[in-house]
């Protein structure tokens, strides 16, 4: 019984190969040379023969087609591996570029922060202080100098007033002194005349 089934299977395969050998070879080569791996598997499945033995279904595929499909699968895998390697190299290059750009960005940010700090700060006695603090110190010094100037002006005017008052008082004293000296001189002259008159009278009385 098994020998009969095997004989029928061989005859079916032989008959199938005789009728479609030439056309199948041409279309198979074209189909296995084009399209995706999935479509090539579909092609192999559609072009395969089938039979049943012991209640099981079997597919009959040409060895040359399997070899071609195997080669195509390996070629696809190798192309995928090559593409993956190229993509990994590209990704690594992009990561290196991104890392370099991030480093430059960090340096630029630090430089910008430093420039901004220098722009917003000023040197005072060799110390870097903020503009607000610098302005506060500057206006405090200006206010102090202004107060000192006003105090000096006040003292000067006060001294000038006192000097003028002293000069006026001195002038008054000098006037009084001259008047007193003049009166004293007049009294002295009067007394001298009176004394001389008395002396003259005394001499005449003798």
């Amino acid at each position: 019984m098994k020998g009969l089934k095997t004989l029928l299977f061989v005859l079916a395969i032989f008959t199938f190969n005789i009728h479609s050998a030439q056309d199948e070879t041409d279309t198979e080569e074209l189909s296995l040379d084009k399209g995706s791996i999935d479509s090539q598997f579909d092609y192999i499945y559609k072009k395969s023969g089938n039979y049943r033995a012991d209640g099981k279904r079997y597919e009959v595929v040409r060895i040359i087609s399997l070899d071609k499909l195997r080669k195509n699968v390996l070629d696809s895998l190798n192309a995928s591996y090559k593409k993956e390697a190229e993509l990994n190299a590209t990704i690594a290059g992009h990561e290196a570029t991104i890392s370099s750009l991030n480093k430059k960005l960090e340096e630029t940010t630090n430089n910008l922060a430093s420039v901004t700090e220098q722009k917003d700060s000023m040197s005072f006695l060799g110390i870097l202080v903020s503009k607000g603090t610098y302005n506060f110190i500057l206006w405090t010094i200006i206010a102090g100098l202004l107060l000192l100037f006003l105090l000096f002006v006040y003292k000067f005017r006060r001294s000038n007033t006192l000097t003028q008052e002293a000069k006026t008082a001195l002038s008054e004293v000098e006037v009084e002194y001259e008047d007193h000296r003049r009166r004293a001189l007049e009294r002295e002259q009067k007394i001298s005349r009176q004394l001389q008159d008395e002396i003259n009278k005394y001499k005449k009385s003798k």
Side-chain angles (χ1 to χ4, degrees):
M1 184 66 180
K2 290 183 179 180
L4 180 60
K5 289 182 178 180
T6 303
L7 179 61
L8 291 175
F9 170 72
V10 172
L11 289 176
I13 295 301
F14 181 73
T15 304
F16 177 78
N17 288 336
I18 291 176
H19 287 292
S20 60
Q22 187 63 41
D23 294 338
E24 183 181 355
T25 300
D26 295 338
T27 57
E28 191 173 300
E29 291 297 326
L30 291 175
S31 298
L32 293 177
D33 286 336
K34 297 180 180 180
S36 63
I37 296 298
D38 187 59
S39 65
Q40 293 180 26
F41 270 105
D42 289 339
Y43 176 82
I44 291 293
Y45 180 77
K46 290 178 181 179
K47 292 298 182 180
S48 63
N50 60 80
Y51 75 97
R52 288 183 178 275
D54 296 332
K56 298 179 180 179
R57 181 179 176 182
Y58 295 90
E59 297 291 333
V60 180
V61 181
R62 294 182 61 195
I63 295 298
I64 188 173
S65 298
L66 286 177
D67 290 339
K68 182 67 175 178
L69 181 60
R70 178 176 178 273
K71 180 178 180 301
N72 291 344
V73 171
L74 292 177
D75 290 342
S76 297
L77 289 175
N78 290 332
S80 299
Y81 294 150
K82 182 179 179 181
K83 186 66 176 179
E84 181 182 2
E86 292 176 353
L87 291 175
N88 288 333
T90 302
I91 292 173
H94 289 169
E95 289 178 348
T97 302
I98 291 172
S99 178
S100 176
L101 291 176
N102 286 334
K103 185 177 180 180
K104 290 181 179 179
L105 178 60
E106 183 178 359
E107 293 177 355
T108 303
T109 302
N110 292 334
N111 292 334
L112 180 60
S114 177
V115 170
T116 302
E117 182 179 0
Q118 292 179 2
K119 181 180 178 182
D120 293 337
S121 303
M122 302 189 72
S123 179
F124 179 76
L125 300 177
I127 303 174
L128 196 64
V129 296
S130 64
K131 282 188 175 181
T133 304
Y134 178 83
N135 290 333
F136 174 76
I137 296 174
L138 181 62
W139 284 110
T140 301
I141 294 174
I142 292 174
L145 293 175
L146 182 60
L147 288 176
L148 289 176
F149 175 74
L150 293 176
L151 180 62
F152 172 77
V153 170
Y154 171 76
K155 290 288 187 180
F156 176 78
R157 289 186 176 181
R158 179 67 175 168
S159 299
N160 190 38
T161 301
L162 294 175
T163 302
Q164 293 298 327
E165 291 177 352
K167 286 182 178 181
T168 302
L170 180 61
S171 298
E172 293 176 354
V173 170
E174 287 178 350
V175 170
E176 291 179 359
Y177 173 75
E178 288 294 330
D179 186 56
H180 176 72
R181 190 176 68 84
R182 181 179 55 79
R183 288 195 300 270
L185 183 60
E186 289 178 351
R187 284 195 302 269
E188 183 180 352
Q189 290 175 353
K190 184 178 179 180
I191 292 170
S192 295
R193 284 194 301 269
Q194 289 177 354
L195 180 60
Q196 187 66 39
D197 291 341
E198 291 295 327
I199 290 173
N200 289 336
K201 287 179 181 181
Y202 178 73
K203 285 181 178 180
K204 288 179 179 183
S205 67
K206 287 183 176 182

